[in-house]
Coordinates of all heavy atoms in Angstrom, one line a residue:
M573 N 104.9 93.1 102.5 CA 104.8 94.0 101.3 C 103.6 94.9 101.4 O 102.5 94.4 101.6 CB 104.8 93.1 100.1 CG 104.8 93.8 98.8 SD 104.7 92.7 97.4 CE 103.2 93.2 96.7
K574 N 103.8 96.2 101.3 CA 102.7 97.2 101.3 C 102.5 97.7 99.9 O 103.4 97.9 99.1 CB 103.0 98.3 102.3 CG 103.1 97.9 103.7 CD 103.3 99.2 104.6 CE 103.3 98.8 106.0 NZ 104.5 98.1 106.5
V575 N 101.2 98.0 99.6 CA 100.9 98.5 98.2 C 100.1 99.8 98.4 O 99.2 99.9 99.3 CB 100.0 97.4 97.5 CG1 99.7 97.9 96.1 CG2 100.8 96.1 97.4
S576 N 100.4 100.7 97.5 CA 99.6 102.0 97.5 C 99.5 102.5 96.1 O 100.2 102.0 95.2 CB 100.1 103.0 98.4 OG 101.5 103.4 98.0
I577 N 98.5 103.4 95.8 CA 98.4 104.0 94.5 C 98.6 105.5 94.6 O 98.1 106.1 95.4 CB 97.0 103.7 94.0 CG1 96.8 102.2 93.7 CG2 96.7 104.5 92.7 CD1 95.4 101.8 93.1
D578 N 99.5 105.9 93.7 CA 99.7 107.4 93.6 C 98.6 108.0 92.8 O 98.5 107.8 91.6 CB 101.1 107.6 92.9 CG 101.4 109.1 92.7 OD1 100.5 109.9 92.9 OD2 102.6 109.4 92.5
Q579 N 97.7 108.6 93.5 CA 96.5 109.2 92.9 C 96.7 110.3 91.9 O 95.9 110.6 91.1 CB 95.5 109.6 94.0 CG 94.9 108.5 94.9 CD 94.1 107.5 94.1 OE1 93.6 107.8 93.0 NE2 94.0 106.3 94.7
T580 N 97.9 110.9 92.0 CA 98.3 111.9 91.0 C 98.6 111.3 89.6 O 98.6 112.0 88.6 CB 99.4 112.8 91.5 OG1 100.6 112.0 91.5 CG2 99.2 113.4 92.8
K581 N 98.9 110.0 89.6 CA 99.3 109.3 88.4 C 98.2 108.4 87.8 O 98.1 108.2 86.6 CB 100.5 108.4 88.6 CG 101.8 109.2 88.8 CD 102.9 108.2 88.9 CE 104.3 108.8 89.0 NZ 105.3 107.7 89.1
C582 N 97.4 107.8 88.7 CA 96.4 106.8 88.3 C 95.4 107.4 87.3 O 94.8 108.5 87.6 CB 95.7 106.3 89.6 SG 94.3 105.1 89.2
V583 N 95.1 106.6 86.3 CA 94.2 107.1 85.3 C 92.9 106.3 85.3 O 92.0 106.3 84.4 CB 94.8 107.0 83.8 CG1 95.9 108.0 83.7 CG2 95.3 105.6 83.5
A584 N 92.7 105.5 86.4 CA 91.5 104.7 86.7 C 91.1 103.8 85.5 O 90.0 103.6 85.2 CB 90.4 105.6 87.1
C585 N 92.2 103.1 84.9 CA 91.9 102.2 83.8 C 91.2 100.9 84.3 O 90.6 100.2 83.5 CB 93.2 101.9 83.1 SG 94.3 100.9 84.0
G586 N 91.4 100.6 85.5 CA 90.8 99.4 86.0 C 91.7 98.1 85.9 O 91.2 97.0 86.3
S587 N 92.8 98.2 85.2 CA 93.7 97.0 85.0 C 94.0 96.3 86.3 O 93.9 95.1 86.4 CB 94.9 97.5 84.2 OG 95.8 96.4 84.2
C588 N 94.4 97.1 87.3 CA 94.9 96.4 88.6 C 93.7 95.7 89.2 O 93.8 94.7 89.9 CB 95.5 97.5 89.5 SG 94.4 98.9 89.9
V589 N 92.5 96.3 89.1 CA 91.3 95.7 89.7 C 91.0 94.4 89.0 O 90.6 93.4 89.6 CB 90.1 96.6 89.6 CG1 88.9 96.0 90.3 CG2 90.4 98.0 90.2
A590 N 91.2 94.3 87.7 CA 90.9 93.1 86.9 C 92.0 92.0 87.3 O 91.6 90.9 87.4 CB 91.0 93.4 85.4
I591 N 93.2 92.4 87.5 CA 94.3 91.5 87.8 C 94.2 91.0 89.2 O 94.4 89.8 89.5 CB 95.7 92.1 87.5 CG1 95.8 92.3 86.0 CG2 96.8 91.2 88.0 CD1 97.0 93.2 85.6
C592 N 94.0 91.9 90.1 CA 94.0 91.5 91.5 C 92.9 92.2 92.3 O 93.2 93.2 93.1 CB 95.4 91.9 92.1 SG 95.7 91.3 93.8
P593 N 91.7 91.8 92.2 CA 90.6 92.4 92.9 C 90.6 92.2 94.4 O 89.8 92.9 95.1 CB 89.3 91.7 92.2 CG 89.9 90.4 91.7 CD 91.3 90.6 91.3
E594 N 91.5 91.3 94.8 CA 91.6 91.1 96.3 C 92.3 92.3 97.0 O 92.1 92.5 98.2 CB 92.4 89.8 96.6 CG 91.8 88.6 96.1 CD 92.2 88.2 94.7 OE1 92.8 89.1 94.0 OE2 92.0 87.0 94.3
V595 N 93.0 93.1 96.2 CA 93.8 94.2 96.7 C 93.3 95.5 96.3 O 93.2 96.5 97.0 CB 95.3 94.0 96.4 CG1 96.1 95.3 96.8 CG2 95.9 92.8 97.0
F596 N 92.9 95.6 95.0 CA 92.5 96.9 94.4 C 91.0 96.9 94.1 O 90.4 95.9 93.8 CB 93.2 97.1 93.1 CG 94.7 97.0 93.2 CD1 95.4 95.9 92.9 CD2 95.4 98.1 93.6 CE1 96.8 95.8 93.0 CE2 96.8 98.0 93.7 CZ 97.5 96.9 93.4
E597 N 90.4 98.1 94.3 CA 89.0 98.2 94.0 C 88.7 99.6 93.3 O 89.3 100.6 93.5 CB 88.1 98.1 95.3 CG 88.3 99.2 96.3 CD 87.5 99.0 97.5 OE1 86.7 98.1 97.6 OE2 87.6 99.9 98.4
M598 N 87.6 99.5 92.5 CA 87.0 100.7 91.9 C 86.0 101.3 92.9 O 85.1 100.7 93.4 CB 86.4 100.4 90.6 CG 85.7 101.6 89.8 SD 86.9 102.5 88.8 CE 87.3 101.4 87.5
K599 N 86.2 102.6 93.2 CA 85.3 103.3 94.2 C 84.1 103.8 93.5 O 84.1 103.9 92.3 CB 86.1 104.4 94.9 CG 87.4 104.1 95.5 CD 87.2 103.5 96.8 CE 88.5 103.5 97.6 NZ 88.4 103.4 99.0
D600 N 83.1 104.2 94.3 CA 81.9 104.7 93.7 C 82.1 106.0 92.9 O 81.4 106.2 91.9 CB 80.9 105.0 94.8 CG 80.3 103.7 95.5 OD1 80.5 102.7 94.8 OD2 79.8 103.8 96.6
D601 N 83.1 106.7 93.3 CA 83.4 108.0 92.5 C 84.3 107.8 91.3 O 84.7 108.7 90.6 CB 84.1 109.0 93.5 CG 85.4 108.6 93.9 OD1 85.9 107.5 93.5 OD2 86.0 109.3 94.7
G602 N 84.5 106.5 90.9 CA 85.3 106.2 89.7 C 86.8 106.1 89.9 O 87.5 105.8 88.9
T603 N 87.3 106.5 91.1 CA 88.7 106.3 91.3 C 89.0 104.9 91.7 O 88.1 104.1 92.1 CB 89.2 107.3 92.4 OG1 88.5 107.0 93.7 CG2 88.9 108.7 92.0
V604 N 90.3 104.5 91.6 CA 90.7 103.2 92.0 C 91.7 103.3 93.2 O 92.5 104.2 93.2 CB 91.4 102.5 90.8 CG1 92.0 101.2 91.2 CG2 90.4 102.3 89.7
D605 N 91.6 102.4 94.1 CA 92.5 102.5 95.3 C 92.7 101.1 95.9 O 91.9 100.2 95.5 CB 91.9 103.5 96.3 CG 93.0 104.1 97.1 OD1 94.2 103.7 97.1 OD2 92.7 105.1 97.8
V606 N 93.7 101.0 96.8 CA 93.8 99.8 97.5 C 92.6 99.7 98.5 O 92.1 100.7 99.0 CB 95.1 99.9 98.3 CG1 95.3 98.7 99.3 CG2 96.3 99.9 97.4
K607 N 92.1 98.5 98.7 CA 91.0 98.3 99.6 C 91.3 98.9 100.9 O 92.4 98.7 101.5 CB 90.7 96.8 99.7 CG 90.0 96.3 98.4 CD 89.5 94.9 98.6 CE 88.6 94.4 97.5 NZ 88.1 93.1 97.7
A608 N 90.3 99.5 101.5 CA 90.5 100.2 102.8 C 91.1 99.3 103.9 O 92.0 99.7 104.6 CB 89.1 100.7 103.3
E609 N 90.7 98.0 103.9 CA 91.2 97.1 105.0 C 92.7 96.8 104.8 O 93.3 96.2 105.7 CB 90.4 95.9 105.1 CG 90.3 95.0 103.9 CD 89.2 95.3 102.9 OE1 88.8 96.5 102.9 OE2 88.7 94.3 102.3
L610 N 93.2 97.1 103.6 CA 94.6 96.7 103.3 C 95.5 97.9 103.2 O 96.8 97.8 103.0 CB 94.7 95.9 102.0 CG 94.1 94.5 102.0 CD1 94.2 93.9 100.6 CD2 94.9 93.6 103.0
K611 N 94.9 99.1 103.3 CA 95.7 100.4 103.2 C 96.8 100.5 104.3 O 96.4 100.4 105.5 CB 94.8 101.6 103.2 CG 94.3 102.0 101.9 CD 93.7 103.4 101.9 CE 93.7 103.9 100.5 NZ 93.2 105.3 100.5
G612 N 98.0 100.7 103.9 CA 99.1 100.9 104.9 C 99.5 99.6 105.7 O 100.2 99.7 106.6
K613 N 98.9 98.5 105.2 CA 99.2 97.2 105.9 C 99.9 96.3 104.9 O 99.9 96.4 103.7 CB 97.9 96.6 106.4 CG 97.2 97.4 107.4 CD 96.0 96.6 108.0 CE 95.3 97.5 109.0 NZ 93.9 97.2 109.1
D614 N 100.6 95.3 105.5 CA 101.2 94.2 104.7 C 100.1 93.4 104.1 O 99.2 92.9 104.9 CB 102.1 93.3 105.6 CG 103.4 94.0 105.9 OD1 104.0 94.6 104.9 OD2 103.8 94.0 107.0
I615 N 100.1 93.2 102.8 CA 99.0 92.4 102.2 C 99.4 90.9 102.4 O 100.5 90.5 102.7 CB 98.9 92.7 100.7 CG1 100.2 92.3 99.9 CG2 98.6 94.1 100.4 CD1 100.0 92.3 98.4
P616 N 98.4 90.0 102.4 CA 98.6 88.6 102.6 C 99.7 88.1 101.6 O 99.6 88.5 100.4 CB 97.3 88.0 102.4 CG 96.3 89.0 102.7 CD 96.9 90.3 102.2
T617 N 100.5 87.2 102.1 CA 101.6 86.7 101.2 C 101.2 86.1 99.9 O 101.8 86.3 98.9 CB 102.4 85.7 102.0 OG1 102.7 86.2 103.3 CG2 103.7 85.3 101.3
E618 N 100.0 85.4 100.0 CA 99.5 84.7 98.8 C 99.1 85.7 97.7 O 98.8 85.3 96.6 CB 98.4 83.7 99.1 CG 97.2 84.4 99.7 CD 97.2 84.5 101.3 OE1 98.3 84.5 101.8 OE2 96.1 84.5 101.9
L619 N 98.9 87.0 98.0 CA 98.5 88.0 97.1 C 99.6 88.8 96.5 O 99.4 89.6 95.5 CB 97.4 88.9 97.7 CG 96.1 88.3 98.2 CD1 95.3 89.4 98.8 CD2 95.4 87.7 97.0
E620 N 100.8 88.5 97.0 CA 101.9 89.4 96.6 C 102.3 89.3 95.1 O 102.5 90.3 94.4 CB 103.2 89.0 97.4 CG 103.1 89.5 98.8 CD 104.4 89.3 99.6 OE1 105.3 88.7 99.1 OE2 104.4 89.7 100.8
S621 N 102.2 88.0 94.5 CA 102.6 87.9 93.1 C 101.6 88.6 92.2 O 101.9 89.2 91.2 CB 102.8 86.4 92.7 OG 101.6 85.7 92.9
K622 N 100.3 88.5 92.6 CA 99.2 89.1 91.8 C 99.4 90.7 91.9 O 99.2 91.4 90.9 CB 97.8 88.7 92.2 CG 97.4 87.4 91.6 CD 96.1 86.9 92.2 CE 94.9 87.5 91.5 NZ 93.7 86.9 92.0
A623 N 99.7 91.1 93.1 CA 99.9 92.6 93.3 C 101.1 93.1 92.5 O 101.0 94.2 91.9 CB 100.0 92.9 94.7
R624 N 102.1 92.3 92.4 CA 103.3 92.6 91.6 C 102.9 92.7 90.1 O 103.4 93.5 89.4 CB 104.4 91.6 91.8 CG 105.2 91.9 93.1 CD 106.4 90.9 93.1 NE 106.6 90.5 94.5 CZ 107.2 91.2 95.4 NH1 107.7 92.4 95.1 NH2 107.4 90.7 96.6
E625 N 102.1 91.7 89.7 CA 101.7 91.7 88.3 C 100.9 92.9 88.0 O 101.1 93.6 86.9 CB 100.9 90.4 88.0 CG 100.5 90.2 86.6 CD 99.5 89.1 86.3 OE1 99.4 88.2 87.2 OE2 99.0 89.0 85.3
A626 N 100.0 93.3 88.9 CA 99.2 94.5 88.7 C 100.2 95.7 88.6 O 100.0 96.6 87.7 CB 98.2 94.7 89.8
H627 N 101.2 95.8 89.5 CA 102.2 96.8 89.4 C 102.9 96.9 88.1 O 103.0 98.0 87.5 CB 103.2 96.6 90.6 CG 104.4 97.4 90.5 ND1 105.5 97.0 89.8 CD2 104.7 98.6 91.0 CE1 106.5 97.9 89.8 NE2 106.0 98.9 90.6
D628 N 103.3 95.7 87.6 CA 104.0 95.7 86.3 C 103.2 96.1 85.1 O 103.7 96.6 84.1 CB 104.6 94.3 86.1 CG 105.7 93.9 87.2 OD1 106.2 94.8 87.9 OD2 106.1 92.7 87.3
M629 N 101.9 95.8 85.2 CA 101.0 96.1 84.1 C 100.4 97.5 84.1 O 99.7 97.9 83.2 CB 99.8 95.0 84.1 CG 100.3 93.6 83.9 SD 101.1 93.3 82.3 CE 99.7 93.5 81.2
C630 N 100.5 98.2 85.2 CA 99.9 99.5 85.3 C 100.4 100.5 84.3 O 101.6 100.7 84.2 CB 100.1 100.1 86.7 SG 99.5 101.8 86.9
P631 N 99.6 101.0 83.4 CA 100.1 101.8 82.3 C 100.6 103.2 82.8 O 101.2 103.9 82.0 CB 98.8 102.0 81.4 CG 97.7 101.8 82.3 CD 98.1 100.8 83.4
A632 N 100.2 103.5 84.0 CA 100.6 104.9 84.5 C 101.7 104.8 85.6 O 102.0 105.8 86.2 CB 99.4 105.6 85.1
T633 N 102.3 103.6 85.8 CA 103.2 103.4 86.9 C 102.8 104.1 88.2 O 103.6 104.7 88.8 CB 104.7 103.9 86.5 OG1 104.7 105.3 86.2 CG2 105.2 103.1 85.3
A634 N 101.5 103.9 88.5 CA 101.0 104.5 89.6 C 101.0 103.7 90.9 O 100.7 104.2 92.0 CB 99.5 104.9 89.3
I635 N 101.3 102.4 90.7 CA 101.2 101.5 91.9 C 102.6 101.5 92.5 O 103.6 101.2 91.9 CB 100.8 100.1 91.5 CG1 99.4 100.1 90.9 CG2 100.9 99.1 92.6 CD1 98.9 98.8 90.3
V636 N 102.6 101.7 93.8 CA 103.8 101.8 94.6 C 103.9 100.6 95.5 O 103.0 100.3 96.3 CB 103.9 103.1 95.5 CG1 105.2 103.2 96.3 CG2 103.7 104.3 94.6
I637 N 105.0 99.9 95.4 CA 105.2 98.7 96.3 C 106.4 99.0 97.3 O 107.4 99.5 96.9 CB 105.5 97.5 95.4 CG1 104.2 97.0 94.8 CG2 106.1 96.3 96.3 CD1 104.4 95.8 93.9
E638 N 106.1 98.7 98.5 CA 107.1 98.8 99.6 C 107.4 97.5 100.1 O 106.4 96.8 100.6 CB 106.6 99.7 100.7 CG 106.5 101.2 100.4 CD 105.8 101.9 101.6 OE1 106.5 102.0 102.6 OE2 104.7 102.3 101.4
E639 N 108.6 97.0 100.1 CA 108.9 95.7 100.6 C 109.0 95.7 102.1 O 109.3 96.7 102.7 CB 110.2 95.2 100.0 CG 110.2 95.1 98.5 CD 109.2 94.1 97.9 OE1 108.8 93.2 98.7 OE2 108.9 94.2 96.7
Ligands
SF4_1238 S1 96.3 99.9 86.7 FE1 97.3 101.8 87.4 S2 96.3 103.5 86.2 FE2 95.0 101.6 86.1 S3 93.5 101.8 87.8 FE3 95.2 100.6 88.5 S4 96.7 102.1 89.5 FE4 95.2 103.2 88.2

């Protein structure tokens, strides 16, 4: 399962970082993105449910999940 953030939609609310800090991070410039080491890669299986929760809770539907 791969995860990405549509930067044209993200409002940098920080919800995904609070729910799943293993996958999402707040950058120094205030934007939120998938951690560099996980970008474009399959995330660890044990993080999938938390990443899905972050996806479901995102107020801007900015989190994209690819199975
Ligand atoms: S929850 Fe959605 S809108 Fe909020 S920081 Fe994460 S991706 Fe952006």
Side-chain angles (χ1 to χ4, degrees):
M573 185 181 116
K574 294 184 176 72
V575 181
S576 59
I577 292 180
D578 182 342
Q579 296 295 339
T580 66
K581 290 184 173 179
C582 177
V583 295
C585 70
S587 170
C588 56
V589 182
I591 293 168
C592 188
E594 298 90 343
V595 173
F596 304 98
E597 67 180 357
M598 180 83 69
K599 308 276 194 160
D600 290 342
D601 65 1
T603 62
V604 173
D605 209 346
V606 173
K607 286 189 167 181
E609 63 268 30
L610 292 175
K611 272 196 160 184
K613 298 190 178 148
D614 285 313
I615 63 169
T617 311
E618 63 270 24
L619 296 177
E620 289 186 357
S621 63
K622 279 173 86 176
R624 278 186 219 282
E625 185 184 346
H627 166 272
D628 293 347
M629 297 298 290
C630 174
T633 60
I635 297 175
V636 180
I637 286 180
E638 293 173 67
E639 302 294 343

